[in-house]
C-alpha cells in the first residue's frame, strides 16, 4: 500500500527555536495533505490542510504565523513550528489521500513527537 | 457544528468475547465513516470504512451503520489482547477528504 513518511520521528528542542517536520508521500502524489496535532489522551485535532502550490487552510484557533506550512511539491509538505514553547509539545501527524481513490485510502505518517524544553 | 462523539472508556472486555464500540455523529449529511485503531505512541491505522446502511464484515471486525439514528458501531469478535488500543471513529462531511474525529474509546482486552 501507499506509504507516508515523516521526519524526524522525534525531536527535542529548546524554547524559542524553530522545528521543521517533513511529510512525504513515498509512492504516490498528494495534492492535499493534512496536519494533525494530538495531545496525550486526546483525539487528533486537525491543524491545517496543505495544498500543493497554494496556501494552506488553517483551522480556527491555529496560528498560521506560528505553524508554517509549505507544500512545494506533490510529495512533500513541511510544517515548521516557529518560536516553539513547551505548550507546543505534542504528537504531530500528517496524512494524505492518494488522488482519485476515495476517502478511505487516507494514509497516515508515523508521527513526530515534539518536546520543547 | 459537525461533531463525532464516542464514549472515552475504558471499555474492558474479557479475551474471546465480543467488544462493541459505538459512535454518534451530528450531521445527517455525513457521507463516509471510518474506524481507526491507535496504539499508544503510534499514528492511527484504518480498520474499517463504511458508507451504506447495514453491516460490513472484515475478518473479526464488523462495522454497522444506521444513518436514520446517526450512529456507527464496530464489533470485534473473539477479542485478543492485541486488540487493546484506542479506537477512533471518524466521518467525512464533504468530498475534500477532511475527517472529523471522535475522541476515541480506549479498549482493554483482559486475558
Amino acid at each position: 500500500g501507499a506509504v507516508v513518511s515523516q521526519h524526524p520521528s522525534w525531536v527535542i528542542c529548546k524554547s524559542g527555536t524553530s522545528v521543521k517536520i517533513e511529510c512525504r508521500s513515498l509512492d504516490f502524489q498528494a495534492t492535499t495533505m493534512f496536519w494533525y496535532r494530538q495531545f496525550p489522551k486526546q483525539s487528533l485535532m486537525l491543524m491545517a490542510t496543505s495544498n500543493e502550490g497554494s496556501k494552506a487552510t488553517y483551522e480556527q484557533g491555529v496560528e498560521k504565523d506560528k505553524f508554517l506550512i509549505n507544500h512545494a511539491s506533490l510529495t512533500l509538505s513541511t510544517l515548521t513550528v516557529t518560536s516553539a514553547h513547551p505548550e507546543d509539545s505534542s504528537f504531530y501527524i500528517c496524512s494524505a489521500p492518494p488522488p482519485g481513490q476515495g476517502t478511505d485510502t487516507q494514509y497516515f505518517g508515523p508521527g513526530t513527537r515534539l518536546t520543547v524544553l | 457544528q459537525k461533531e463525532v462523539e464516542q464514549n472515552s472508556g475504558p471499555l474492558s472486555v474479557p479475551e474471546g468475547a465480543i467488544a462493541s464500540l459505538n459512535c454518534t455523529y451530528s450531521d445527517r449529511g455525513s457521507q463516509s465513516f471510518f474506524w481507526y485503531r491507535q496504539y499508544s505512541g503510534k499514528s492511527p491505522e484504518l480498520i474499517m470504512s463504511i458508507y451504506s446502511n447495514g453491516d460490513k464484515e472484515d475478518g473479526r471486525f464488523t462495522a454497522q451503520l444506521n444513518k436514520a439514528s446517526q450512529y456507527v458501531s464496530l464489533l470485534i469478535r473473539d477479542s485478543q489482547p492485541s486488540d487493546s488500543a484506542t479506537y477512533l471513529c471518524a466521518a467525512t462531511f464533504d468530498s475534500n477528504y477532511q475527517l472529523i474525529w471522535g475522541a476515541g474509546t480506549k479498549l482493554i482486552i483482559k486475558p
Side-chain angles (χ1 to χ4, degrees), chain A residues 6-81:
Chain A
Q6 278 184 247
H7 178 80
S9 55
W10 59 270
V11 57
I12 301 172
C13 69
K14 293 182 179 180
S15 184
T17 60
S18 295
V19 175
K20 179 185 285 187
I21 302 170
E22 294 184 347
C23 177
R24 294 182 185 273
S25 55
L26 297 185
D27 52 0
F28 66 97
Q29 294 183 331
T31 55
T32 300
M33 289 184 174
F34 298 100
W35 285 97
Y36 295 90
R37 179 168 54 182
Q38 187 176 35
F39 293 108
K41 299 187 179 182
Q42 295 187 23
S43 190
L44 288 87
M45 186 193 78
L46 179 65
M47 299 176 67
T49 302
S50 172
N51 302 297
E52 187 270 335
S54 64
K55 291 182 178 180
T57 303
Y58 290 82
E59 295 300 300
Q60 190 173 9
V62 178
E63 300 175 58
K64 60 181 65 176
D65 293 331
K66 179 172 181 63
F67 298 99
L68 302 179
I69 291 173
N70 184 290
H71 195 153
S73 78
L74 288 171
T75 59
L76 173 64
S77 175
T78 60
L79 168 68
T80 301
V81 183

